[in-house]
Amino acid sequence: MTQSPDDMIRDYKDACAVEKQRPLQKLLEQLERMDALTTPIDTLDLSSARLEPRTCETLEMILSKLLITSLDIQKSNIEDDGMIAICEMIDYYECVSRLIIAHNPKLKSRAWLSLGRTLKNAPFIEMLNASYCGIDNQGLTLLLRSVRANCALHTLHLSGNNLSGKGSFILMAAMKFNENLQELYISNNNLLPEDAQNLGAILRINHTLKVLDIKDNNIQDSGLHYICVGLAEQQTGLISLNISNNNFTPMGMEHLAAMLPCTRSLQDINLCHNRVGDSGILAMKLSLLVNRSLT
């Protein structure tokens, strides 16, 4: 049994020797800074470290001994076999509550299937960041089965995955049955007005989502209409909405003006980088005076 950080470093190097892998210097430096193994680690940062399948196998010596809040393996060039190995370790050792795998475009269907199963089985995982991974519709379906099954995930980042079209429908179908997810970040996904119809359906059906970030898309005025209709039907639900940089005009502010007197929970709207102009602000003036939830 590993008793000290020095023991863990020795055991990790031995595991690397067995797998014929060079120890990750970034990991060694973090282990050397540890005072004790009994203290939970806020973040184990392996971002930009090249995680080959055998390299991932050596991480079991670490994940089996440490309690980690966030495991950051973004930009690690990880592929399916390595991701599957890490998912199995997380599932078995219950060692990670926040998983950051962003910017890993080599992940394919087998990895998303494994990750979806892990999320479904792991009530201790509260956050997943899978932004900019190039998830296709099949992978998205496999991953979001866990969301549809009402896994314990509270926060989900899927920015930069081109979710326009069928992707937004898959997301809507998963969120329809979820009562745990509270924050959803889907910026920079090339979302169009038609996709906003699916987002509006999410808001009509799901009243547990608190934060929705859809900045840097192309929702436009017609898409904002669907979102506002969904918000208007909520008695409780969304608290924060980021719709900055979505090509809105003063006409779109009329949709917001119609929604604002109806919402009871919305406290924050980010409209930055939209050409709403003075006329758009004036269109919302009376509604802003009537609204009692915005802060």
Side-chain angles (χ1 to χ4, degrees), residues 21-141:
Q21 297 294 303
R22 179 176 296 180
L24 297 172
Q25 185 61 33
K26 191 171 190 176
L27 176 55
L28 290 175
E29 291 172 358
Q30 292 172 80
L31 295 176
E32 289 168 356
R33 292 196 298 266
M34 291 177 56
D35 295 323
L37 301 181
T38 55
T39 304
I41 298 175
D42 181 58
T43 300
L44 186 63
D45 182 7
L46 300 180
S47 61
S48 300
R50 189 174 181 84
L51 297 182
E52 301 286 353
R54 286 190 174 183
T55 307
C56 293
E57 293 292 345
T58 67
L59 296 179
E60 184 167 11
M61 187 59 61
I62 307 299
L63 297 181
S64 64
K65 301 294 193 300
L66 296 179
L67 185 61
I68 303 162
T69 300
S70 297
L71 176 61
D72 186 348
I73 56 172
Q74 64 180 311
K75 298 180 180 179
S76 61
N77 209 38
I78 193 170
E79 299 183 22
D80 283 11
D81 288 339
M83 192 71 243
I84 291 169
I86 287 179
C87 285
E88 290 174 350
M89 294 174 204
I90 292 174
D91 196 2
Y92 185 79
Y93 296 112
E94 302 183 1
C95 52
V96 173
S97 58
R98 300 169 65 86
L99 182 58
I100 304 169
I101 62 172
H103 298 277
N104 278 304
K106 291 187 177 181
L107 296 176
K108 304 302 179 185
S109 295
R110 291 193 301 122
W112 298 120
L113 175 61
S114 179
L115 183 54
R117 287 173 175 170
T118 297
L119 293 175
K120 186 176 180 181
N121 297 332
F124 48 87
I125 299 180
E126 62 182 33
M127 189 279 283
L128 172 67
N129 187 339
S131 298
Y132 299 95
C133 284
I135 310 175
D136 60 16
N137 289 333
Q138 182 182 14
L140 187 66
T141 300

Side-chain angles (χ1 to χ4, degrees), residues 154-221:
H154 286 184
T155 303
L156 178 60
H157 295 257
L158 289 173
S159 296
N161 281 303
N162 194 23
L163 299 182
S164 182
K166 189 175 180 180
S168 66
F169 178 81
I170 294 169
L171 179 62
M172 183 272 290
M175 290 295 295
K176 185 186 299 185
F177 299 99
N178 186 280
E179 296 178 350
N180 285 322
L181 196 69
Q182 296 182 19
E183 299 184 20
L184 178 61
Y185 299 85
I186 49 174
S187 65
N188 197 22
N189 268 299
N190 300 315
L191 298 178
L192 299 171
E194 301 78 33
D195 302 303
Q197 190 168 3
N198 289 324
L199 298 179
I202 290 174
L203 294 172
R204 287 198 307 272
I205 298 167
N206 185 307
H207 294 174
T208 56
L209 189 66
K210 304 301 180 187
V211 176
L212 177 60
D213 185 340
I214 52 174
K215 66 177 180 289
D216 300 331
N217 283 293
N218 192 23
I219 298 298
Q220 304 177 41
D221 294 339

